[in-house]
Amino acid sequence: MTMIAPGQTIGILGDGQLGRMMALAAAELGYKTHVFGQDPNSPAAQVSTAVTIAQYTDEDALRKFASSVDVVTLEFENIPTATLDFLEAIVPVRPGKKVLEITQDRHLEKSFLNSLGVPTAPFANVESLEDLRAGIARIGTPAILKTRRFGYDGKGQVKINAATEIDEAWEEIGEQPAILEGFVPFELEISVIVARGINGDIQSYIPVENKHKNHILDITLAPADILISISEHAVKLAHKIADQIDLVGLMAVEMFVTRDDDVLVNELAPRPHNSGHWTIEGCTASQFKQSIRAAAGLPLASAERHSNAVMRNLIGDDINHWNDILCHPEMSLHLYGKAEAREGRKMGHVTRLFPLGTAPKV
Ligand code: AMP
């Protein structure tokens, strides 16, 4: 069975804000949702039809979950592959195991990209202190050492400015399998969000610029202020990746644009992405709706935007300004229902639209 009709149930692995916005989009299309997560009061659990609270290794819980849904999708790429194998034997999982295997591991991901002719920062696989020394000798400094797996928002990575910092860096990332990357002196960071349907049809959103604060996304400007030729090139790269990885679902492709107008791919995220939140207000169909359409095997919607936009994250205590934001009628406020505003925690976001043809301003 390839197409899941409205009225049926979409299973979502992961229960954060992305799962919440996916569940809301699924509800708009008439689907029920069943979230598999760790917290009964999570952002996604609060808005879903059903919730399973269990570990990803709990086979009884996985079996019951898989039998209660018609397709499984995810809001989080670090699902153990054994869990995906288990689920795929019972119910379709979109995007599937191959996509996740590649995108869970920075070394596999960059090797895959280079095998397609997609440029990345120079990199070296590091499994020991000797590998790290050899990597630095080849790539030079500055460089960034990142854990191969489970890194996000700048966690699990350390910059190496000089060869004297090698031992300390290896210790700092916990002496675990890692990737060493040459430091890219980029002009700006952009991302392209691309959806690919079950029949191989593709829709992608306009490239956007992402500005970070303390390694966490702060602001997204849609569209990115780049030459049309660079924008078209970035979109072409994203389409190529989505095709070659056999994506059925939605994927964010994070990229660096250099001073020489080269575009290097930094990272892939096979799920809705923080830099696509503006699409809720700015486009015919949001990234969340698009991800649900792809997972359900429906035709994709147009990813065309009707407005330009700025999206700002509300991190930690920023959420205390929710009532000020509401006093600005042009601002769209989204809150994720998280009880506790810890430092660095994504609590919500705000989007402001601008007419096409005008520059989005902060
Ligand atoms: P990542 O976890 O790979 O997305 O990295 C988080 C952030 O660190 C990126 O958004 C960049 O701002 C920065 N960064 C990561 N890799 C590099 C690199 N090779 N060169 C320069 N900056 C980088």
Side-chain angles (χ1 to χ4, degrees):
M1 189 172 44
T2 53
M3 197 207 274
I4 313 301
Q8 294 186 274
T9 302
I10 297 184
I12 300 175
L13 299 172
D15 59 6
Q17 64 269 13
L18 300 176
R20 178 185 182 92
M21 290 182 272
M22 290 167 84
L24 293 171
E28 278 187 49
L29 281 167
Y31 291 104
K32 299 186 187 76
T33 48
H34 185 157
V35 166
F36 191 103
Q38 267 72 54
D39 172 5
N41 191 35
S42 66
Q46 290 171 24
V47 301
S48 294
T49 323
V51 183
T52 294
I53 305 300
Q55 300 299 315
Y56 291 119
T57 45
D58 181 340
E59 294 196 349
D60 271 350
L62 287 171
R63 191 177 300 108
K64 279 192 200 128
F65 169 73
S67 329
S68 77
V69 301
D70 299 288
V71 67
V72 170
T73 187
L74 45 105
E75 64 120 47
F76 167 70
E77 60 270 35
N78 289 315
I79 312 283
T81 43
T83 303
L84 298 167
D85 282 335
F86 190 90
L87 293 172
E88 278 182 349
I90 304 173
V91 67
V93 180
R94 300 175 186 149
K97 182 176 153 190
K98 175 184 162 193
V99 174
L100 292 199
E101 264 176 346
I102 293 173
T103 57
Q104 282 175 0
D105 181 314
R106 292 183 191 274
H107 185 252
L108 285 184
E109 184 174 273
K110 287 212 162 55
S111 305
F112 170 75
L113 291 168
N114 286 179
S115 77
L116 305 182
V118 172
T120 62
F123 65 92
N125 187 30
V126 172
E127 301 199 357
S128 64
L129 191 54
E130 290 66 45
D131 287 347
L132 180 54
R133 290 211 177 93
I136 289 285
R138 179 162 67 78
I139 291 171
T141 55
I144 302 190
L145 185 65
K146 304 178 179 178
T147 55
R148 277 179 67 158
R149 304 171 75 88
F150 299 116
Y152 71 100
D153 288 345
K155 291 190 173 62
Q157 52 181 274
V158 47
K159 190 168 173 197
I160 302 179
N161 292 301
T164 48
E165 297 171 8
I166 289 177
D167 291 30
E168 200 184 325
W170 180 235
E171 210 173 293
E172 201 167 316
I173 65 147
E175 305 187 356
Q176 57 176 310
I179 181 173
L180 180 73
E181 293 179 19
F183 186 82
V184 179
F186 56 79
E187 279 288 288
L188 74 172
E189 292 188 74
I190 63 170
S191 55
V192 176
I193 294 178
V194 56
R196 186 168 176 276
I198 203 153
N199 299 324
D201 49 329
I202 286 198
Q203 287 283 338
S204 55
Y205 295 91
I206 192 95
V208 296
E209 178 177 355
N210 299 316
K211 294 174 183 283
H212 296 84
K213 217 161 74 185
N214 303 325
H215 295 286
I216 301 173
L217 182 67
D218 181 27
I219 286 167
T220 293
L221 296 163
D225 184 15
I226 49 179
L227 294 173
I228 289 178
S229 56
I230 299 177
S231 177
E232 287 174 351
H233 178 56
V235 167
K236 250 190 221 150
L237 290 178
H239 285 205
K240 184 178 197 175
I241 296 164
D243 269 333
Q244 296 297 317
I245 208 168
D246 261 335
L247 176 71
V248 178
L250 182 108
M251 172 180 274
V253 183
E254 297 178 18
M255 308 177 192
F256 299 131
V257 181
T258 70
R259 222 161 289 151
D260 306 325
D261 291 342
D262 287 329
V263 178
L264 306 177
V265 172
N266 176 40
E267 196 169 32
L268 308 176
R271 50 162 170 83
H273 190 257
N274 199 166
S275 67
H277 291 0
W278 68 278
T279 61
I280 297 174
E281 282 83 16
C283 297
T284 310
S286 74
Q287 62 163 348
F288 300 102
K289 224 178 239 180
Q290 204 77 275
S291 76
I292 295 296
R293 282 192 182 223
L298 302 180
L300 300 180
S302 163
E304 204 55 49
R305 76 191 190 288
H306 51 71
S307 302
N308 292 342
V310 174
M311 187 285 312
R312 183 195 280 274
N313 270 336
L314 300 175
I315 309 283
D317 288 343
D318 291 348
I319 189 160
N320 297 335
H321 301 298
W322 63 269
N323 43 356
D324 302 331
I325 294 165
L326 288 176
C327 293
H328 294 269
E330 73 284 10
M331 306 262 198
S332 297
L333 176 66
H334 297 253
L335 300 178
Y336 305 149
K338 296 182 184 177
E340 203 192 331
R342 287 195 295 272
E343 195 187 328
R345 195 171 196 209
K346 291 175 180 169
M347 303 299 293
H349 72 268
V350 188
T351 302
R352 183 174 173 189
L353 297 182
F354 294 83
L356 290 182
T358 56
K361 286 195 294 276
V362 179

